[in-house]
Amino acid sequence: DAGVTQSPTHLIKTRGQQVTLRCSPKSGHDTVSWYQQALGQGPQFIFQYYEEEERQRGNFPDRFSGHQFPNYSSELNVNALLLGDSALYLCASSPPGGVNTEAFFGQGTRLTVV
Amino acid sequence: GESVGLHLPTLSVQEGDNSIINCAYSNSASDYFIWYKQESGKGPQFIIDIRSNMDKRQGQRVTVLLNKTVKHLSLQIAATQPGDSAVYFCAETWTGFQKLVFGTGTRLLVSP
């Protein structure tokens, strides 16, 4: 079992550009959540996808959007990048009917905005 | 608003010592608490969790204690090893709520 896989592992973007991050959940998991982790901070919840719909959203602007595909994989899109968007972006998946304590995290995508 | 915080940003211990990492939470509605370990360059790794109807839960070399009266959570690591060096986060969530609320983390440094 490959666990939660994220791609790419690192990328550098210029302010104002757009970026798409990808996540494949752990086998058997159907729910995907995205978190932003600034350096030295705990992860902050962005949103969660279930049955291809956004189920809940944290305090992030509309520049942050997502999508879930029928195979449960997910994308996080960020438009009009700001320097402050530089962070580690984490994807977590959880099983059907699972509670958040059963969430498994990927290794993250390190985004640097210059 | 709700928050999860930690008392100590860095904890340095010697190999073989017992470590205690503390966490304070503010949302009395929280009914699940989780400890994560995050090594450099990796995502958070689940260590142990506890529900609000419990005071103590033990795992392999780890124990989590929950004091709901003072809204305090602690992680005890027995016989700490260099491989335990990492940042430890506590997180809370509650029934029907989809997100985990994380604290800022404590860095554990274990010297051989």
Side-chain angles (χ1 to χ4, degrees):
Chain A
D1 184 2
V4 179
T5 58
Q6 293 186 242
S7 63
T9 55
H10 297 81
L11 76 165
I12 300 174
K13 289 287 188 178
T14 302
R15 188 172 47 184
Q17 285 188 313
Q18 179 266 345
V19 68
T20 297
L21 311 181
R22 296 176 175 83
C23 172
S24 293
K26 182 178 171 66
S27 178
H29 288 189
D30 64 353
T31 302
V32 173
S33 302
W34 287 92
Y35 290 80
Q36 179 194 67
Q37 186 176 22
L39 194 62
Q41 301 293 320
Q44 298 292 314
F45 177 80
I46 302 175
F47 41 53
Q48 184 180 84
Y49 277 84
Y50 171 71
E51 292 188 341
E52 303 179 48
E53 297 282 337
E54 183 182 292
R55 182 156 66 173
Q56 190 171 59
R57 188 180 185 91
N59 294 324
F60 280 81
D62 292 345
R63 298 186 298 108
F64 290 77
S65 63
H67 189 78
Q68 186 179 35
F69 300 92
N71 67 353
Y72 308 122
S73 66
S74 178
E75 289 182 349
L76 164 66
N77 301 293
V78 186
N79 295 322
L81 284 167
L82 304 174
L83 297 179
D85 295 331
S86 295
L88 180 68
Y89 288 85
L90 294 162
C91 171
S93 70
S94 48
V99 298
N100 277 314
T101 59
E102 297 174 18
F104 284 78
F105 283 83
Q107 296 206 14
T109 294
R110 171 71 63 187
L111 172 65
T112 302
V113 182
V114 297
Chain B
E2 65 273 0
S3 66
V4 177
L6 296 177
H7 298 160
L8 300 173
T10 303
L11 177 64
S12 297
V13 301
Q14 295 282 8
E15 182 178 3
D17 288 351
N18 295 329
S19 302
I20 300 176
I21 301 173
N22 296 300
C23 174
Y25 66 94
S26 60
N27 190 343
S28 58
S30 294
D31 52 13
Y32 292 103
F33 302 88
I34 313 100
W35 281 101
Y36 286 93
K37 173 186 180 183
Q38 188 173 26
E39 297 174 284
S40 181
K42 296 185 178 180
Q45 178 186 1
F46 174 90
I47 301 172
I48 191 169
D49 64 352
I50 188 169
R51 298 189 178 214
S52 59
N53 61 354
M54 302 172 68
D55 297 324
K56 179 179 180 179
R57 192 172 186 205
Q58 290 183 294
Q60 186 176 11
R61 285 200 304 117
V62 294
T63 300
V64 56
L65 298 178
L66 176 63
N67 185 331
K68 296 181 287 296
T69 302
V70 295
K71 297 179 184 173
H72 183 267
L73 191 69
S74 69
L75 176 70
Q76 300 178 1
I77 304 174
T80 314
Q81 302 168 359
D84 294 327
S85 294
V87 177
Y88 289 80
F89 293 96
C90 63
E92 63 178 327
T93 189
W94 45 98
T95 303
F97 202 53
Q98 304 304 326
K99 70 179 186 182
L100 294 166
V101 178
F102 285 83
T104 54
T106 292
R107 181 173 300 279
L108 177 65
L109 298 175
V110 183
S111 303

